[in-house]
Amino acid sequence: TLKDLQEKIHQQMLYDKASAYTYDSDKSAPKLAVIFPGIGYTADKPLLYYASRLARHYGYQILAVSYGTLPENVKGDHAKMKQAFDIAFKQTEEYLQNVDWTSYGEILFISKSVGTVISSAYTAKHNLTVKNILFTPLTETFKFPQIGSIAFHGTTDPWAQTNSVKSLAAE
């Protein structure tokens, strides 16, 4: 149908835009992939586990961020969500504080759900040039620049607001 064709063209345009993003750094330098899990969706769950394996296959060193203990029952509670973000972001900062970003020829961030907000905020704060794979990004993810990013969004993710994510991704 025409709608299917439009969607296919739109997806191809997004893929081309993300694929065209290249680095100015040394291609012979090591490559790093950093994994940012979601709340309750750890790096050993299928999306992040297989994405990590694929990145490793293509020569990336893998670092998986762990947030430790976060507040419970955060869904729908703005204050708890902000608290969870603050804790996870602080732990991410501590975990990645000794990484020499300039020593890598390519940096890939792979994130899921709340991790997409953390990875995007971290990229913006540290002014990093990364490729970013966003699995089920949240609307808050799009408060940060998404240059070099591609998003995969599940319409049944209870955390994600599909219409908002579609609109923000199109922008």
Side-chain angles (χ1 to χ4, degrees), residues 48-105:
L48 298 178
Y49 171 79
Y50 287 109
S52 296
R53 280 188 55 181
L54 191 58
R56 186 174 288 115
H57 174 78
Y58 283 98
Y60 287 85
Q61 298 170 17
I62 307 296
L63 281 179
V65 175
S66 177
Y67 310 130
T69 304
L70 297 175
E72 294 182 6
N73 303 316
V74 298
K75 187 174 180 264
D77 185 327
H78 182 71
K80 281 187 178 180
M81 189 66 157
K82 171 81 169 96
Q83 181 185 23
F85 170 83
D86 291 342
I87 292 168
F89 191 80
K90 182 176 187 256
Q91 291 172 347
T92 298
E93 292 265 76
E94 290 169 1
Y95 185 78
L96 299 176
Q97 70 184 346
N98 294 321
V99 175
D100 178 9
W101 300 107
T102 61
S103 69
Y104 294 97

Side-chain angles (χ1 to χ4, degrees), residues 85-158:
F85 170 83
D86 291 342
I87 292 168
F89 191 80
K90 182 176 187 256
Q91 291 172 347
T92 298
E93 292 265 76
E94 290 169 1
Y95 185 78
L96 299 176
Q97 70 184 346
N98 294 321
V99 175
D100 178 9
W101 300 107
T102 61
S103 69
Y104 294 97
E106 291 184 28
I107 302 167
L108 173 64
F109 283 179
I110 304 170
S111 55
K112 169 77 169 93
S113 193
V114 172
T116 66
V117 183
I118 303 295
S119 68
S120 298
Y122 190 89
T123 300
K125 179 178 179 183
H126 295 277
N127 197 29
L128 296 176
T129 301
V130 304
K131 288 184 179 179
N132 205 346
I133 299 173
L134 308 166
F135 289 117
T136 57
L138 304 182
T139 55
E140 293 84 357
T141 304
F142 297 95
K143 291 179 179 177
F144 305 97
Q146 294 303 320
I147 298 167
S149 298
I150 187 164
F152 298 93
H153 175 71
T155 58
T156 59
D157 185 326

Side-chain angles (χ1 to χ4, degrees), residues 137-140 153 157-166:
L138 304 182
T139 55
E140 293 84 357
H153 175 71
D157 185 326
W159 287 81
Q161 299 167 331
T162 299
N163 292 336
S164 179
V165 168
K166 280 184 178 181

Side-chain angles (χ1 to χ4, degrees), residues 14-22 131:
L14 291 173
Y15 175 79
D16 291 344
K17 187 175 181 181
S19 297
Y21 187 72
T22 58
K131 288 184 179 179

